[in-house]
Amino acid sequence: MAMRYLSVILSVVALTMLSAGCTRNNGDIGPWFGTWQVTRIDVDGVPAADYRGNVVMKFQSHVMESRAQSDNHSYSAYWCTWSESDGSLRLEITPGDDASGYVAELMIPWTPVNMLRIVSQTGKTACLSRRSGEGTEYVYYLKKLY
C-alpha cells in the first residue's frame, strides 16, 4: 500500500513538472524563443569588417540577452526587454542600470527604445534592420542555434 501511494505521489510530481516546463501563452513559446547567433552585420550594404560573428541574442519570455564572447572565452552580456508588433522588434533598456543595454558589437545605441524591423524570420534564420538617426542602415543576419 505504501509503495503504491509513493508511486502515485511521484507520478503527480512528474506530471506537474512536465506541464510547467519553459512555455508561455498556453504552450506557445513563439518563433523568437531561444539562442540566435548574429552571423553577419552589414552597415549600409557592406559587411562590417571588424565583426567576428561572436555575438548571440537570447530571447526568453520578454527578456533578451545580448552576449559577446572574447578570444579568451570570457564574455560580456547585457539585457533588455523586447516585444514584437507590426513587423518590428521593440527593444527597451533601463537607463542607469549597468546590466541594461546591448553589447557594443551590435552597434545599437543605448537609448531607452530601439526598433528593429523584421525583414524575414523563418524559425531557423532571421534578418533584422534598423536605421540610425544619421541615416545609416544596419542589417543583422541571425541563425538559430537552439
Side-chain angles (χ1 to χ4, degrees):
M1 180 73 167
M3 213 41 188
R4 182 179 169 134
Y5 181 73
L6 182 60
S7 38
V8 168
I9 295 284
L10 289 175
S11 296
V12 169
V13 169
L15 286 173
T16 302
M17 290 176 70
L18 285 173
S19 67
C22 3
T23 61
R24 61 179 173 83
N25 300 333
N26 295 324
D28 177 21
I29 58 175
W32 290 104
F33 184 85
T35 301
W36 295 78
Q37 179 184 6
V38 181
T39 58
R40 188 174 99 214
I41 300 173
D42 288 356
V43 181
D44 283 336
V46 178
D50 57 345
Y51 180 66
R52 301 183 335 240
N54 62 326
V55 172
V56 294
M57 298 169 80
K58 296 178 162 191
F59 292 88
Q60 182 176 4
S61 185
H62 291 286
V63 176
M64 190 270 290
E65 174 189 6
S66 59
R67 179 183 285 206
Q69 186 169 332
S70 69
D71 290 336
N72 66 359
H73 301 290
S74 65
Y75 65 89
S76 58
Y78 294 93
W79 288 264
C80 68
T81 59
W82 71 277
S83 60
E84 178 183 3
S85 66
D86 299 325
S88 294
L89 289 181
R90 177 185 173 97
L91 306 179
E92 294 185 50
I93 64 171
T94 306
D97 180 350
D98 291 342
S100 188
Y102 319 99
V103 293
E105 289 84 348
L106 289 176
M107 299 173 264
I108 298 176
W110 283 32
T111 54
V113 175
N114 282 284
M115 299 297 287
L116 299 179
R117 186 172 64 85
I118 302 169
V119 177
S120 65
Q121 207 280 359
T122 67
K124 300 262 184 211
T125 62
C127 181
L128 305 170
S129 71
R130 74 171 186 85
R131 190 166 296 278
S132 73
E134 297 78 33
T136 303
E137 184 180 34
Y138 296 87
V139 179
Y140 305 89
Y141 296 90
L142 289 74
K143 175 179 78 172
K144 190 162 192 177
L145 300 177
Y146 46 89

